[in-house]
Amino acid sequence: METIKGHLYDYPKYYDLIFGDDWKAEFDFLQSCFEKHATRKVKKLFEPACGTGRLLIKLAQAGYQVSGNDLNQHAINYCNDRLERFGFPRSAVLGDMSDFKLKKPVDAAFNTINSFRHLPSETAAKNHLKCVADALAPGGLYILGLHLTPTVGEPMQSESWSARRGNLQINSHMQSISTDLKKRNEHLEMTFDVYTPSRQFQLFDTMDYRTYTAPQFKALLKKVPELEVVELYDFMYEMDFTIELDAQTEDVVFILRKK
């Protein structure tokens, strides 16, 4: 099989198929969180690092006013083209999730699949949370999902997904190659095995995620006191199953509310 090295984000059609295939659980979870945890009516939404807008389009179709930003122009174009195709404004912009300012406050923001960990430093992470806090109206939510690094037990080392749409099949695999807890860096490899009626090939990419133990993330949140933690869930997205952070915790969805 031919291997193409490059950024997976430069192939939004394939990226969207893999990560957009299981949108319903996140969609339902987000709406339930808006209802349960926000102290204001949620109508306007913002997604930092929105990528292809796999959730933005579904939320727009459900009646929300949506917007987002991302560093990848290919993803932004894909997102806006789809929004426009369904009659919505081209509301995603090219931008840095750690350096942005919205013209008007929103009622909720969300970032559910580890994109936060692309931020390479404590300063960038703090700036991101400050930007989000500034973008939220009082009582609004930031729903942030990420993998923490457990300090007890073996961390999860790999994940695989498959998705199909028509004649397009993609098998995806992500593997943790090395983790340096002193430098706070996890190095990963990710592949998309792509199958079409006329071609088979593999897309290969590497990425670096900043690591967070539970105490490290708690310390970060203390630097942005405008956001308070109101509940914790895991990646099962079940509203009746809340969690508490401990040394073994990995998958966490933080529900943060603007004071």
Side-chain angles (χ1 to χ4, degrees):
M1 182 181 291
E2 176 190 7
T3 298
I4 301 171
K5 293 184 178 181
H7 295 299
L8 297 178
Y9 302 113
D10 289 342
Y11 298 87
K13 178 180 178 181
Y14 303 143
Y15 182 92
D16 190 75
L17 176 57
I18 280 289
F19 290 102
D21 192 51
D22 190 26
W23 61 272
K24 189 68 166 61
E26 288 173 87
F27 174 86
D28 291 343
F29 175 75
L30 289 174
Q31 293 202 101
S32 296
C33 285
F34 301 158
E35 186 72 28
K36 182 176 181 180
H37 297 300
T39 57
R40 62 183 297 112
K41 181 72 172 177
V42 176
K43 296 179 180 178
K44 296 181 180 180
L45 304 176
F46 179 77
E47 183 180 10
C50 65
T52 59
R54 64 194 179 87
L55 289 171
L56 288 182
I57 184 61
K58 300 298 183 182
L59 290 160
Q61 290 171 327
Y64 295 94
Q65 184 178 324
V66 304
S67 60
N69 70 11
D70 200 275
L71 283 173
N72 188 285
Q73 187 68 64
H74 297 282
I76 288 295
N77 292 344
Y78 186 96
C79 178
N80 280 330
D81 288 348
R82 178 162 53 186
L83 286 169
E84 185 177 58
R85 193 162 64 245
F86 285 95
F88 302 106
R90 298 178 67 87
S91 56
V93 299
L94 195 66
D96 186 337
M97 69 189 294
S98 64
D99 183 16
F100 68 90
K101 188 174 180 65
L102 300 187
K103 292 180 180 178
K104 294 182 179 181
V106 294
D107 305 309
F110 60 93
N111 181 307
T112 54
I113 56 170
N114 258 330
S115 303
F116 170 82
R117 290 181 58 205
H118 283 302
L119 295 169
S121 67
E122 190 81 356
T123 298
K126 177 187 172 184
N127 288 345
H128 166 69
L129 292 174
K130 290 284 286 184
C131 286
V132 172
D134 290 345
L136 287 173
L141 300 181
Y142 184 30
I143 300 170
L144 176 60
L146 70 153
H147 292 291
L148 297 177
T149 300
T151 52
V152 172
E154 282 296 312
M156 185 168 54
Q157 295 293 325
S158 65
E159 292 184 75
S160 296
W161 310 270
S162 293
R164 185 181 185 95
R165 184 181 297 154
N167 290 323
L168 175 63
Q169 163 92 24
I170 300 177
N171 300 329
S172 175
H173 183 72
M174 184 165 67
Q175 176 81 31
S176 179
I177 303 301
S178 61
T179 301
D180 188 328
L181 295 181
K182 284 189 175 181
K183 293 183 177 179
R184 303 277 301 274
N185 185 74
E186 182 181 11
H187 185 68
L188 302 109
E189 292 181 352
M190 192 165 186
T191 57
F192 286 179
D193 293 338
V194 181
Y195 300 88
T196 75
S198 59
R199 191 181 177 200
Q200 298 178 10
F201 60 97
Q202 181 181 82
L203 297 175
F204 175 87
D205 195 6
T206 62
M207 61 189 74
D208 290 283
Y209 276 162
R210 183 166 172 80
T211 63
Y212 291 91
T213 62
Q216 286 169 339
F217 195 76
K218 286 181 181 178
L220 172 64
L221 289 177
K222 285 183 179 179
K223 296 179 180 180
V224 190
E226 306 96 306
L227 297 174
E228 60 177 337
V229 179
V230 292
E231 196 56 271
L232 304 174
Y233 299 93
D234 65 14
F235 281 16
M236 295 299 290
Y237 302 123
E238 294 177 358
M239 293 301 294
D240 56 355
F241 184 75
T242 61
I243 65 171
E244 294 184 8
L245 293 185
D246 60 31
Q248 293 179 295
T249 304
E250 288 193 74
D251 296 344
V252 190
V253 183
F254 291 85
I255 311 301
L256 308 173
R257 187 165 61 213
K258 172 78 173 284
K259 292 180 180 177

